[in-house]
Amino acid sequence: MYVLIIFVFKLMIKTSKLQFSYSSENSFSFPDISLPKGEHLLILGSSGVGKTTLLHLLAGLLPASSGSITVGNTELQNLSRKKLDAFRGREMGIIFQNDYFINALSVGENLELRLYFPDKKKDSARVKELAERLGISNLLHKKVTALSEGQRQRLSIALALVNKPNIIFADEPTASLDDENCEKVVTLLKEEASNSNANLLIITHDQRVKTMFKNHLYL
Ligand SMILES: Nc1ncnc2c1ncn2[C@@H]1O[C@H](COP(=O)(O)OP(=O)(O)OP(=O)(O)O)[C@@H](O)[C@H]1O
């Protein structure tokens, strides 16, 4: 009796011939990406080359001019705006260069609220655990307007991770952090991604981060 074992590497993110234009003088063609589930990727390149643009395309925040983006079995360009927003909310955690918080709420309330949408979850233990690992547990009752740049960056990271997304996108997540917090944050991002077999895509200029990942995409 023969036993046929087929290993299937499930591709989580796949792009093909992706192009985007802000204007006729400002257009981009991106290299194809094939990222198996659970893999990490660092996106590198000089300033203005289109790294943030690529990340926004992959997250469905910008519509591609041409080409395709497949996440799991879903082609992003086939989703309506509403379905795309719901898909992003369920599947993706995004750490933006400049995040927007709800200024009227405390750090902890911002986190609780992010957890509540889209699945109406309440999990104070998750908020506490993440805040402790990011070194912001002493700030949970503070207004977000009272945070330093580095503290805001760590809150952005907590907000992106609190729902345990399948894909984590991070745009320069360590830019405002000192060496100790830089290492803490990268380790946390890698651990969080590994714990839920999530993909992790990071844009960075930070030399400290480059040596911590093996998959690099240069634009
Ligand atoms: N909303 C926009 N409208 C028009 N042009 C834009 C817009 N956003 C970005 N650009 C331009 O597109 C180019 C790529 O921008 P992008 O932010 O993707 O680059 P980047 O590689 O991430 O740069 P950096 O490393 O400096 O953050 C830049 O020339 C930028 O000025």
Short mmCIF file of all heavy atoms in Angstrom, two decimals, residues 22 26 28 46-53 97 205, ligand 1:
data_model
loop_
_atom_site.label_atom_id
_atom_site.label_comp_id
_atom_site.label_asym_id
_atom_site.label_seq_id
_atom_site.Cartn_x
_atom_site.Cartn_y
_atom_site.Cartn_z
N TYR A 22 -0.67 57.63 -7.92
CA TYR A 22 -1.28 58.79 -7.27
C TYR A 22 -1.62 59.82 -8.35
O TYR A 22 -2.57 60.57 -8.24
CB TYR A 22 -0.33 59.43 -6.25
CG TYR A 22 -0.14 58.61 -4.99
CD1 TYR A 22 1.04 57.93 -4.75
CD2 TYR A 22 -1.16 58.53 -4.05
CE1 TYR A 22 1.21 57.18 -3.60
CE2 TYR A 22 -1.00 57.78 -2.89
CZ TYR A 22 0.19 57.11 -2.67
OH TYR A 22 0.35 56.37 -1.53
N ASN A 26 3.44 60.03 -10.77
CA ASN A 26 3.77 59.33 -9.53
C ASN A 26 3.12 57.95 -9.51
O ASN A 26 2.09 57.74 -8.87
CB ASN A 26 3.27 60.18 -8.35
CG ASN A 26 4.05 59.92 -7.09
OD1 ASN A 26 4.90 59.02 -7.07
ND2 ASN A 26 3.78 60.67 -6.04
N PHE A 28 3.64 53.49 -9.48
CA PHE A 28 4.49 52.44 -8.90
C PHE A 28 4.12 51.08 -9.47
O PHE A 28 2.92 50.77 -9.62
CB PHE A 28 4.30 52.37 -7.38
CG PHE A 28 4.57 53.65 -6.67
CD1 PHE A 28 3.55 54.58 -6.49
CD2 PHE A 28 5.85 53.95 -6.23
CE1 PHE A 28 3.80 55.79 -5.85
CE2 PHE A 28 6.10 55.16 -5.58
CZ PHE A 28 5.08 56.08 -5.40
N SER A 46 14.52 52.93 -0.11
CA SER A 46 14.79 54.32 0.26
C SER A 46 13.49 55.11 0.38
O SER A 46 12.43 54.68 -0.09
CB SER A 46 15.75 54.96 -0.74
OG SER A 46 15.27 54.71 -2.02
N SER A 47 13.62 56.27 0.98
CA SER A 47 12.45 57.12 1.25
C SER A 47 11.75 57.49 -0.06
O SER A 47 12.41 57.86 -1.04
CB SER A 47 12.94 58.37 1.97
OG SER A 47 11.85 59.20 2.23
N GLY A 48 10.42 57.34 -0.10
CA GLY A 48 9.64 57.74 -1.26
C GLY A 48 9.50 56.66 -2.32
O GLY A 48 8.84 56.88 -3.34
N VAL A 49 10.08 55.48 -2.07
CA VAL A 49 10.05 54.43 -3.09
C VAL A 49 8.67 53.74 -3.16
O VAL A 49 8.36 53.05 -4.13
CB VAL A 49 11.22 53.44 -2.82
CG1 VAL A 49 10.89 52.46 -1.71
CG2 VAL A 49 11.63 52.71 -4.07
N GLY A 50 7.85 53.93 -2.13
CA GLY A 50 6.48 53.39 -2.17
C GLY A 50 6.19 52.31 -1.14
O GLY A 50 5.23 51.55 -1.28
N LYS A 51 6.96 52.26 -0.06
CA LYS A 51 6.77 51.20 0.95
C LYS A 51 5.41 51.31 1.64
O LYS A 51 4.66 50.35 1.75
CB LYS A 51 7.90 51.25 2.00
CG LYS A 51 9.28 51.07 1.43
CD LYS A 51 10.36 51.11 2.49
CE LYS A 51 10.49 52.43 3.22
NZ LYS A 51 10.83 53.58 2.34
N THR A 52 5.10 52.54 2.11
CA THR A 52 3.81 52.74 2.78
C THR A 52 2.66 52.51 1.80
O THR A 52 1.63 51.93 2.16
CB THR A 52 3.73 54.15 3.39
OG1 THR A 52 4.78 54.27 4.35
CG2 THR A 52 2.41 54.42 4.07
N THR A 53 2.85 52.95 0.56
CA THR A 53 1.82 52.74 -0.47
C THR A 53 1.55 51.25 -0.63
O THR A 53 0.38 50.83 -0.66
CB THR A 53 2.30 53.36 -1.81
OG1 THR A 53 2.60 54.74 -1.58
CG2 THR A 53 1.26 53.20 -2.89
N GLN A 97 2.17 54.71 10.81
CA GLN A 97 3.22 55.64 11.21
C GLN A 97 2.65 56.69 12.16
O GLN A 97 3.25 57.05 13.15
CB GLN A 97 3.84 56.31 9.98
CG GLN A 97 5.15 55.67 9.58
CD GLN A 97 5.75 56.30 8.34
OE1 GLN A 97 5.03 56.74 7.44
NE2 GLN A 97 7.05 56.34 8.28
N HIS A 205 13.28 51.40 8.29
CA HIS A 205 14.59 51.93 7.94
C HIS A 205 15.57 51.57 9.05
O HIS A 205 16.75 51.85 8.95
CB HIS A 205 14.56 53.48 7.93
CG HIS A 205 13.97 54.07 6.73
ND1 HIS A 205 12.80 54.78 6.75
CD2 HIS A 205 14.37 54.07 5.45
CE1 HIS A 205 12.52 55.19 5.54
NE2 HIS A 205 13.45 54.78 4.73
N1 LIG B 1 -1.80 60.68 -0.85
C1 LIG B 1 -0.79 60.92 -1.70
N2 LIG B 1 -0.99 61.69 -2.80
C2 LIG B 1 0.02 61.93 -3.67
N3 LIG B 1 1.25 61.43 -3.53
C3 LIG B 1 1.51 60.66 -2.46
C4 LIG B 1 0.50 60.37 -1.49
N4 LIG B 1 1.04 59.56 -0.53
C5 LIG B 1 2.32 59.37 -0.88
N5 LIG B 1 2.60 60.03 -2.03
C6 LIG B 1 3.90 60.06 -2.72
O1 LIG B 1 4.19 58.76 -3.20
C7 LIG B 1 5.57 58.46 -3.00
C8 LIG B 1 5.68 57.18 -2.15
O2 LIG B 1 5.20 57.47 -0.85
P1 LIG B 1 5.31 56.36 0.30
O3 LIG B 1 4.84 57.01 1.56
O4 LIG B 1 4.66 55.12 -0.14
O5 LIG B 1 6.90 56.13 0.34
P2 LIG B 1 7.80 55.41 1.44
O6 LIG B 1 8.75 54.52 0.68
O7 LIG B 1 6.96 54.74 2.46
O8 LIG B 1 8.58 56.64 2.05
P3 LIG B 1 9.17 56.91 3.54
O9 LIG B 1 10.23 55.86 3.76
O10 LIG B 1 9.75 58.28 3.44
O11 LIG B 1 8.02 56.81 4.51
C9 LIG B 1 6.19 59.68 -2.38
O12 LIG B 1 6.80 60.43 -3.42
C10 LIG B 1 5.03 60.43 -1.78
O13 LIG B 1 5.26 61.81 -1.79
#
